[in-house]
Amino acid sequence: MEDVLTKLRATLGDIVALKKGGDQTSGSIQSESMNGALLLVDFKQANREAYEGVQHLKEETHGIKIQLDQAHLQLQNLQYQKSYFAKEIRSCNEFVSAFTDKQIDMLPVEEFMQKAPKEFTQDADGKPLDGHNLTLKRLAYELDERKELCQTLEELKTRKKALADSVAGKRKLLNGLGSQLSQLKKATLPLQQHLEVPYTQAAKQKRLTNLLPASLYILYSQLLAVKEAFGEPIEVVIVGRASEAETFNRKLEAGQKSVASDEQEKGEDDADEEDFRRSRKKRARVEKEKEVVDLMQVHPLVVELKLVPEALHIRFEFLPQLRIVCAETLSGDETTLINLFPGDAGIVSPNTANSLLSTQLSFEHSKKRPFKWVQQLSGLDFLPTVPPALFARSAEAAKEGAPTAASVSAAVEEHRQQRRVRAVLAAVRARNAAQSTLK
């Protein structure tokens, strides 16, 4: 292009020189003009070729730029994968497993060569493996082994689920069996009564026996022993609900624990004696109205005694707060048990400690009374208010109205009689017969 441009400039210079030299010959100027036109055509052709060359270079540059962008994107992808793999490797290194590396590590090479099949220990040509290929084969073998272990685990889980379903079905059957057995027991009650084999009643009584308080348990066992040993015509049963007795016993135990904790806290708060006195007075005022009701609370289970020929029905109840046993007649005369033994009207609690709990405590207008002989049959033996040593032993003291040694011995013998079940039953029958005669 530069050569054509130089020639074009020279031609134009010649034309200008001819015009200035006065050479107006048309042939010379025309010839130079023709050469200039041809050079101009060549110049345009060269310019077109240069433009096309620039376009071709731009296209090549664009293609190379696209390749560069793709390479840069691939580099970024590789860098991301590198950071991802580095993160995974770091998390694997920092992972704390429940198993040690020895427990989940691959098999040693020697053990692998012994246990693994030949396709894992040899290449396609039957030559032993080494290096990286050996590691890949070991990993493939471990993968197959662990897949088999996972399959075995799934089979065991399936078996476990089947066994759990079977156990659930059997448990459901057993749960329903209880109600069916209860219905069966109810259906066999007439047969048991006809054959005089009270199996259901005996089982219920045995369960209730374990829930009886200690005093009623002793009373029940003594009455039952007399019936079985001497053939006394009596019936002894425990009346009440087992669920109510269990709840009552739990509440009673919780109450005793709370009282113990209150006493401990009270001892720790002795520093503020004035506040303690105020709270005690306030608590005393609030509890004064309910103290008698709470003290007369009865255990849910009671023991009932039936004297068959006399048709006399006696109920024994235990008062946990007073720790005494009361008796009352459910049939016949209400005064049958009063003064069954001399001086035993049952108006005052035989437990001296009860008088300290409440001054309003009295059984004078109550149907149930804590007779002394009931306490003795229940294993409760309270100390007397006056010691026996104060009784007079001389005749001179007897003249003054004091009891003699003979009267004391008689009283002791009477006290011993009250402790015997048969003596009590005989006294009750005699009293009932006397009342029937008077009527």
Side-chain angles (χ1 to χ4, degrees), residues 50-64:
Y51 178 75
E52 291 177 355
V54 171
Q55 288 297 118
H56 181 68
L57 289 175
K58 286 183 178 181
E59 290 177 358
E60 288 183 356
T61 304
H62 181 68
I64 294 173

Side-chain angles (χ1 to χ4, degrees), residues 196-242:
E196 296 182 356
V197 184
Y199 172 78
T200 304
Q201 184 67 17
K204 181 180 179 181
Q205 291 290 304
K206 185 176 181 181
R207 181 187 177 189
L208 293 177
T209 303
N210 297 328
L211 300 175
L212 281 175
S215 54
L216 287 184
Y217 182 89
I218 296 173
L219 175 66
Y220 176 77
S221 61
Q222 289 203 54
L223 293 175
L224 203 61
V226 168
K227 176 184 176 181
E228 294 179 357
F230 300 101
E232 289 283 348
I234 59 175
E235 294 181 4
V236 187
V237 293
I238 303 173
V239 180
R241 293 180 176 272

Side-chain angles (χ1 to χ4, degrees), residues 322-341:
L322 300 179
R323 300 183 182 277
I324 58 176
V325 179
C326 295
E328 65 173 320
T329 55
L330 301 180
S331 63
D333 195 345
E334 296 181 357
T335 61
T336 302
L337 303 180
I338 298 177
N339 290 320
L340 187 65
F341 293 93

Side-chain angles (χ1 to χ4, degrees), residues 61-80:
T61 304
H62 181 68
I64 294 173
K65 185 178 180 181
I66 291 175
Q67 293 178 2
L68 180 62
D69 292 340
Q70 291 177 353
H72 183 67
L73 181 62
Q74 187 176 4
L75 176 62
Q76 289 182 343
N77 292 336
L78 291 175
Q79 289 178 348
Y80 174 76

